[in-house]
Amino acid sequence: ESNYFKLFISDETLFNDYSIDQLERFIEKMFNELNFSEVQKNEIKQKKIYYFLCKDESEIQIVTGFATRGMYLLAQDYVVTTYNTHYHELVHFLINFKLKDLPLYTHPFLQEGLAVAFGGRGGLQAHTIIETAVFLVRSSFANYSELLTRKDFMNTDATISYPISGLYVDFIIKQIGIEKFIELYKIYSANNNLNIIESIIK
């Protein structure tokens, strides 16, 4: 255990104190970014974030049923991953923890965009993914307007949809602040499939 984590590690030779320190620093940074209250911070400190580190994708498939490098299990509030510091999935956990009762679906443009904007993706830091998105947009290879329906987002390769959504969510937060963004996040969450979110970009 650490201040904020209860760690379940398949192979301890793949983990170290430096990784724990980086996870702790990230959580404290996100407390500030998401405006967590002292009550919320203390609740996480007491209850801990359950972090399962698997040694490879085959092991994570045994644990989760999915062939993936990492995921946030919503039903259990577990982060299960092959990454020592999987910030992307931790952002998913933290926003859900902050909002508590959230409808079943959040528009993936906002959901994944937030996780990319703060947590990066696939072992890469957020700034690296966002720079990739800047290149995609400037080269006219991709545009956010192609991702504003749930269907279009899900039908676009994640190497494009995730960076682009991360870039624009980062832009939105810088323009309107995190609290107003969280209000939008809640507005575009529902118990059924979601339509376009073009109005938030205008």
Side-chain angles (χ1 to χ4, degrees):
E1 287 190 13
S2 65
N3 282 339
Y4 301 113
F5 290 89
K6 184 169 282 189
L7 299 149
F8 301 83
I9 303 164
S10 171
D11 183 350
E12 291 186 24
T13 64
L14 302 176
F15 203 63
N16 51 48
D17 289 341
Y18 176 79
S19 297
I20 295 174
D21 182 59
Q22 293 302 300
L23 289 170
E24 295 281 315
R25 287 173 181 267
F26 181 76
I27 294 301
E28 290 178 349
K29 174 192 169 188
M30 290 308 302
F31 283 164
N32 292 328
E33 296 283 3
L34 297 176
N35 290 339
F36 267 56
S37 68
E38 289 302 316
V39 171
Q40 291 170 324
K41 294 176 188 177
N42 287 332
E43 187 175 354
I44 287 183
K45 190 174 253 187
Q46 290 171 8
K47 294 183 177 179
K48 308 295 184 188
I49 300 167
Y50 282 61
Y51 194 94
F52 294 81
L53 179 63
C54 298
K55 65 182 179 181
D56 53 35
E57 288 187 36
S58 61
E59 187 170 88
I60 205 172
Q61 186 168 16
I62 293 170
V63 175
T64 67
F66 297 95
T68 179
R69 289 177 294 180
M71 63 187 302
Y72 165 55
L73 296 178
L74 180 61
Q76 292 84 18
D77 274 336
Y78 293 166
V79 173
V80 186
T81 182
T82 58
Y83 292 111
N84 283 20
T85 53
H86 205 153
Y87 303 138
H88 181 100
E89 301 303 333
L90 287 171
V91 175
H92 284 315
F93 166 83
L94 289 168
I95 189 65
N96 281 343
F97 182 90
K98 180 177 176 67
L99 297 178
K100 297 295 185 185
D101 297 317
L102 201 62
L104 184 59
Y105 298 104
T106 297
H107 197 295
F109 190 94
L110 299 180
Q111 186 178 49
E112 298 302 339
L114 180 67
V116 168
F118 286 121
R121 181 176 183 266
L124 298 175
Q125 296 286 335
H127 66 86
T128 303
I129 301 296
I130 288 174
E131 285 300 314
T132 300
V134 170
F135 170 79
L136 291 171
V137 171
R138 286 181 175 170
S139 62
S140 299
F141 191 80
N143 194 293
Y144 75 86
S145 62
E146 301 164 353
L147 304 170
L148 295 182
T149 70
R150 181 180 178 83
K151 180 180 178 182
D152 287 342
F153 189 97
M154 302 306 288
N155 287 339
T156 302
D157 191 280
T159 59
I160 295 172
S161 60
Y162 279 54
I164 297 296
S165 62
L167 171 65
Y168 280 95
V169 165
D170 180 66
F171 169 76
I172 293 166
I173 291 171
K174 285 174 179 173
Q175 292 298 308
I176 67 174
I178 192 64
E179 291 301 332
K180 287 185 178 179
F181 174 80
I182 288 173
E183 288 304 311
L184 287 172
Y185 194 93
K186 290 189 287 187
I187 288 169
Y188 290 98
S189 298
N191 287 319
N192 50 36
N193 284 342
L194 300 149
N195 294 318
I196 64 170
I197 55 170
E198 199 167 20
S199 60
I200 75 170
I201 306 293
K202 289 180 178 178

